[in-house]
Amino acid sequence: MTLAILSGLLSALSLPTVIGSRLLPDLGFLAWVALVPLYVALAKSEGNKAFRLGFVYGLAHFGVSLYWIFIALHTYGKVPIPISLMGLIAGVALEALFPAATCWMAFRTKAPFSISFILSWIV
């Protein structure tokens, strides 16, 4: 699970981000290596753990990159904080289902998750 969280955070940080009125430094180069920890975790997974790994990856990625939903609901929509948080959590959980389903389907179809296969596409 730690590798999935790391992968989600790396992929979220690779996106252009503004927090408040400050533009964070350009970390787009992280996109080249962001999914490697997830692939390593999937290669070691057994059973239906692939769905959970994809879901945890999605929670980490979308939890960081969709923070603005809370701001939009609470600040501009004047929605109370608990309901704004529920909207954020629902949006993040819904979006996290997409990488979870992708990881599950890839695992079920026995897609090659070996490191040598991944490196052969990079090199």
Side-chain angles (χ1 to χ4, degrees):
M1 293 293 173
T2 307
L3 290 174
I5 293 170
L6 174 65
S7 187
L9 292 176
L10 287 174
S11 65
L13 288 174
S14 70
L15 300 172
T17 305
V18 175
I19 294 181
S21 61
R22 297 180 187 260
L23 179 65
L24 294 181
D26 183 21
L27 300 173
F29 65 90
L30 291 176
W32 289 99
V33 295
L35 292 178
V36 172
L38 180 62
Y39 289 150
V40 170
L42 284 172
K44 296 178 183 178
S45 68
E46 297 175 359
N48 286 331
K49 190 176 177 185
F51 183 85
R52 283 181 288 177
L53 285 171
F55 191 72
V56 167
Y57 162 79
L59 288 177
H61 174 78
F62 294 113
V64 172
S65 61
L66 294 181
Y67 69 92
W68 56 268
I69 292 176
F70 175 80
I71 295 170
L73 288 173
H74 179 64
T75 304
Y76 303 111
K78 306 294 186 215
V79 177
I81 290 176
I83 297 173
S84 298
L85 281 175
M86 288 185 345
L88 173 64
I89 292 169
V92 168
L94 180 67
E95 290 293 323
L97 289 175
F98 291 105
T102 302
C103 290
W104 180 78
M105 286 188 293
F107 185 79
R108 293 316 254 167
T109 58
K110 306 293 184 212
F113 282 119
S114 68
I115 297 300
S116 61
F117 176 78
I118 295 166
L119 291 178
S120 68
W121 282 96
I122 295 172
V123 177

